[in-house]
Amino acid sequence: MPVDISLNVNGKAVSAQVEDRTLLVELLRENLRLTGTHVGCDTSQCGACVVHVDGRSVKACTMLARQAQGAAVTTIEGLAEDGKLHPMQEAFRENHGLQCGFCTPGMVMSALDLVARNPDPSGAEVREWLEGNLCRCTGYHNIVKSILAGANAMRGGS
Amino acid sequence: MYAFNYHRPETLEAASAALAAAADGQVLAGGQTLIPTLKQRLANPSDVIDLGGIAGLGGVRREGDAIVVGAMTRHAEVASSAEVRNAIPALAALADCIGDPQVRNAGTIGGSIANADPAADYPAAVVGLGATVRTGRRTIAGDDFFTGLFETALEEGEIVLSVSFPVPRRAAYAKFPNPASRYAVVGVMVAETASGVRVAVTGAGGHAFRVGAMESALGASFTPEAIRDVAVSPDGLNEDIHASAEYRAHLVGVMARRAVAAAAGG
């Protein structure tokens, strides 16, 4: 039987009707129509569905929607401000950090959690951090380059 | 996923009551094993009782000569805790090599040990550091906690509250991870404690176990050379597509020596 839940998504209070077994990613994509969060493997491995819940990057395919009751969720749609890409998104565009683009939302959300913990990561630290994000185009080199450039821009660098 | 009734109690008493009232209740902690299991329809609980709404089950604190980790403490919190890094760096390092960053942001120590996956990392710490598991009903010695493949000493309806790790003189964890899943093909925790040396192995057997012959050899001389000739029998060890029992037995020696070298060097 569907129940009402309320949470904050990308800075806005939202409520939705979900089943007890509805996943967070299903709530985001199907109820809220925020389809930037992708479902890749659906088995907690690929990281295409990474979003932030109360500031922590998690796999939205491995969390029940009801676990997010009252939480603050940020998705890829919540990053750009006034039509201007977030510096990390801009860095992916500038550095050809995407090929097919399917893994990109998860890569960007994961990268932002890294930069929040470690504003000036090394290339090796970025690669280690991306353990839970798979790019089947194997475009990792430019993804790492993008994240380093994004981190630099977020520190105020040029 | 099959349908189930979701509960989010705010007290331990309410959680225990919901669990007792359920036809087939299942506790949800971080969900990093349970939710994939439900999605694959490998489990069909009538009720899922989420511990996430209960205050006070998470967090790390120092209590005398021990570090106490609340059951709902996430792996990432253990890995980054200044308290843990200062007192038991081997425990922080172990938590930091579980799964991937997003799994570490969600998975909890209580969920990990209650699930008792034979290839999980925390069992090596619970057994290797001589920890004590506190539940709503009693305390259980780490040595007695894991009883079989996905089996623990926990009784029906018993909920883990915290794990207390006595601070060792020195310790290190060495792990040979599966390159895809990051689960331990073999992981070994070596600790020199006030009551002697402990060597605990995860990944190799049905549950974490100690290697007595290595412990006595290391008690005499805490060096990798001291255990170079201590053989571990492959009898009864895990065998799967990732590694044979013989290979796992070999890896126990290699990981144990690496752990001793790391502990002795640090």
Side-chain angles (χ1 to χ4, degrees), chain A residues 20-21 42 56 59 61, chain B residues 1 6 39 100 102 105:
Chain A
D20 282 358
R21 60 181 168 175
D42 209 7
R56 294 173 290 114
K59 293 180 175 175
C61 80
Chain B
M1 255 186 281
Y6 172 90
K39 287 168 72 175
D100 60 46
Q102 287 71 42
N105 274 342

Side-chain angles (χ1 to χ4, degrees), chain B residues 207-218:
Chain B
H207 61 86
F209 62 90
R210 290 170 66 185
V211 185
M214 285 186 181
E215 293 180 351
S216 26
L218 291 169

Side-chain angles (χ1 to χ4, degrees), chain B residues 150-175:
Chain B
F150 297 101
E151 300 247 343
T152 68
L154 292 172
E155 296 162 353
E156 197 69 36
E158 191 171 14
I159 296 173
V160 175
L161 302 186
S162 63
V163 186
S164 174
F165 295 95
V167 176
R169 286 186 191 137
R170 49 185 172 174
Y173 179 64
K175 170 184 180 179

Side-chain angles (χ1 to χ4, degrees), chain B residues 128 168-170 191-199 210 215 218-219 222:
Chain B
R169 286 186 191 137
R170 49 185 172 174
E192 189 181 54
T193 74
S195 54
V197 175
R198 300 175 71 95
V199 177
R210 290 170 66 185
E215 293 180 351
L218 291 169
F222 196 81

Side-chain angles (χ1 to χ4, degrees), chain A residues 20-21 23 42-45 50 56-59 61-64 66-67 69 110 113 117 128-129 131-133, chain B residues 1-6 8 28-29 31-32 35-36 39 50 74 76 99-102 105-106 179-180 182:
Chain A
D20 282 358
R21 60 181 168 175
L23 295 167
D42 209 7
T43 56
S44 335
Q45 296 173 66
V50 170
R56 294 173 290 114
S57 64
V58 298
K59 293 180 175 175
C61 80
T62 312
M63 181 171 175
L64 299 173
R66 294 202 61 188
Q67 288 178 278
Q69 164 68 38
S110 185
D113 192 9
R117 292 157 199 259
E128 200 168 317
W129 182 265
E131 172 66 37
N133 293 87
Chain B
M1 255 186 281
Y2 294 114
F4 52 78
N5 301 309
Y6 172 90
R8 194 175 172 88
L28 171 64
Q32 299 306 285
I35 292 175
K39 287 168 72 175
D50 182 2
R74 299 179 181 97
D100 60 46
Q102 287 71 42
N105 274 342
R182 298 288 158 186

